[in-house]
Amino acid sequence: MTLFVTNALAASLASYPEGWETWPVVKESVNLPADVVLPEDTSLFIQESVSSYSWINNGQGSPLTIRVHPEKLEQYKTHGPYTDGITAVAVSEVEGIIWVTEHIAGEAIYGSYNRQGQDISSSHPALEPQFCSSCHTRYKDICKNGTCTEPVLKVYGDTN
């Protein structure tokens, strides 16, 4: 029996948002380093986030800034429902990764870009839109309408 396996390159589903740098910052968090020891009662969402993104900055972690499109600020305060269009970006400040959340017909779609606007979703499995979608839908109590509400810093007592 012959088995053929193909690797389809993942492509971002969400659009790159020109001008995101001027959007309001709504939250600051961090991609934690690979050697972090999390408290025993850390949520599964945070544990999976740390495991999935501990490779960033060669395992050293990175500050993470969350910005929301100015027209979606009121919707973000209640985590939706969202109107169509780009909703938010999460920016890994050291690596320059820009995760994009966009809404179409009430559904969240995702993309990963670098600061030059190039699609980098195929450069790592944790940057693929399907990966983002699976996590954001699995943790519905934290990720409401495609945007998540539990920043990593909260685990360490910072409530930003």
Side-chain angles (χ1 to χ4, degrees), residues 2-78:
T2 304
L3 178 65
F4 293 97
V5 178
T6 61
N7 286 336
L9 292 177
S12 290
L13 301 176
S15 307
Y16 178 77
E18 296 291 340
W20 62 266
E21 302 92 338
T22 63
W23 296 358
V25 173
V26 295
K27 194 181 305 180
E28 292 179 344
S29 189
V30 65
N31 292 118
L32 292 171
D35 63 355
V36 70
V37 176
L38 294 170
E40 286 184 29
D41 62 344
T42 301
S43 73
L44 290 176
F45 172 76
I46 295 296
Q47 290 177 46
E48 186 170 341
S49 294
V50 170
S51 174
S52 298
Y53 299 108
S54 63
W55 57 271
I56 290 177
N57 190 23
N58 296 316
Q60 299 302 305
S62 173
L64 186 69
T65 304
I66 313 300
R67 295 175 176 269
V68 172
H69 190 286
E71 294 175 9
K72 303 272 186 108
L73 279 172
E74 289 304 312
Q75 296 168 33
Y76 182 80
K77 288 178 183 177
T78 59

Side-chain angles (χ1 to χ4, degrees), residues 83-100:
T83 55
D84 286 357
I86 297 171
T87 303
V89 296
V91 182
S92 175
E93 297 296 344
V94 173
E95 283 290 303
I97 299 168
I98 301 165
W99 288 277
V100 181

